[in-house]
Amino acid sequence: MSNDKMGEPERAAVTPMAAATILLIRDPLEVLMVRRRKSSFFSSALVFPGGVVDPHDADDAWLPHVRGAEGISVAQRALRIAACREAHEEASGLIGEGGAQPAAAQAGTLRELVAALNAKLPLDALVPFAHWITPANVKKRFDTHFYITRAPDNLTPRHDGDETVSVEWVNPRDAVARAKAGEQSIIFPTLMQLIRLAESRDVEAALDAARRRPAFTVTPTVEKRGEEHVILIPAEAGYGVTEFAAPDIARH
């Protein structure tokens, strides 16, 4: 819906930035979430580790350090690498096949760490979970691919003290209940993924559901109803929700 229908000046749509987000899950079913510092985008809200794809994520120098790059495009490879990189940067989470996670090895880039540990990023273990593009009338837009994977057994997440101020394992049903009760700030796309994840009883069921789910790109629209801005998504997206009141959406 255009901004003139929302009572705001018309402005050109901003090209969305490619981004990747990862749901690291473990049994009994929990997902790793982080809380970003107050001055950052989506400050104080619980979110999954994720961020904008960096040009270096598409570098062919990654090829000796990944598994499962065959059969996917460079762009898809970069998205999966970005998801792994963000997990490492925001929560010290190394998603590496064959590598340990020593605390002393956290310095340097993720590629340097993976090489030093003789590990490989298991790109084929990252299962597509959702694809969302920020509404056209929002100032800061993302073309975000969500991935889901089983958390490594040796994962010891830690916040970085800079971009993130806390990390926690969250039961998806509990998180949804807290958000609906107004006890926890969770942005709409994140809330929808938690609702979807809560449909599964355990890690294997969540991964199986993600593998079987048809691909669908969700591009919400926003309309103004009285004093509220309402986010709308199609029923075909499969979340069991088609609208969400978001009075602060125009600020983003």
Side-chain angles (χ1 to χ4, degrees):
M1 183 157 300
S2 64
N3 282 3
D4 57 339
K5 294 183 180 181
M6 295 171 60
E8 298 173 5
E10 186 74 27
R11 64 168 177 257
V14 176
T15 300
M17 296 177 285
T21 294
I22 190 161
L23 283 69
L24 284 161
I25 56 174
R26 69 180 187 182
D27 284 323
L29 191 58
E30 293 180 317
V31 60
L32 184 67
M33 302 190 75
V34 301
R35 196 183 305 275
R36 297 201 174 108
R37 57 185 170 81
K38 289 188 176 181
S39 60
S40 66
F41 198 58
F42 300 141
S43 62
S44 78
L46 271 179
V47 295
F48 309 118
V52 175
V53 174
D54 186 282
H56 295 295
D57 296 328
D59 198 323
D60 284 349
W62 269 107
L63 289 174
H65 309 297
V66 300
R67 186 195 76 198
E70 306 83 6
I72 61 174
S73 67
V74 173
Q76 287 294 321
R77 186 182 81 207
L79 283 163
R80 287 166 169 79
I81 290 172
C84 295
R85 177 178 53 74
E86 291 289 343
H88 174 64
E89 293 176 357
E90 295 193 340
S92 294
L94 174 58
I95 308 168
E97 179 191 60
Q101 194 189 20
Q106 299 303 309
T109 67
L110 176 59
R111 192 163 71 219
E112 290 169 344
L113 174 60
V114 170
L117 296 175
N118 196 29
K120 289 182 182 292
L121 299 186
L123 304 187
D124 51 354
L126 273 64
V127 182
F129 191 77
H131 179 207
W132 282 57
I133 301 176
T134 310
N137 55 308
V138 176
K139 296 177 183 177
K140 195 167 187 177
R141 303 185 66 211
F142 301 94
D143 180 345
T144 304
H145 290 258
F146 293 82
Y147 296 95
I148 187 170
T149 192
R150 183 187 297 271
D153 292 337
N154 62 351
L155 183 66
T156 306
R158 295 185 303 276
H159 65 84
D160 65 6
D162 180 21
E163 187 172 356
T164 58
V165 296
S166 69
V167 296
E168 56 185 275
W169 290 102
V170 175
N171 177 289
R173 291 184 181 179
D174 290 348
V176 170
R178 285 159 53 194
K180 290 183 175 179
E183 298 171 358
Q184 174 61 61
S185 174
I186 300 178
I187 60 174
F188 180 61
T190 302
L191 181 61
M192 292 301 98
Q193 310 324 319
L194 287 168
I195 288 174
R196 173 168 282 178
L197 183 59
E199 296 172 353
S200 298
R201 65 183 181 276
D202 56 26
V203 168
E204 197 52 47
L207 293 173
D208 183 59
R211 293 186 188 103
R212 290 185 290 104
R213 187 178 301 117
F216 189 92
T217 299
V218 181
T219 305
T221 57
V222 182
E223 67 178 35
K224 190 173 184 181
R225 298 178 185 171
E227 296 303 312
E228 286 188 329
H229 289 94
V230 179
I231 306 174
L232 306 173
I233 62 173
E236 292 81 3
Y239 290 93
V241 174
T242 58
E243 59 181 58
F244 180 76
D248 293 334
I249 188 68
R251 299 180 189 175
H252 297 316

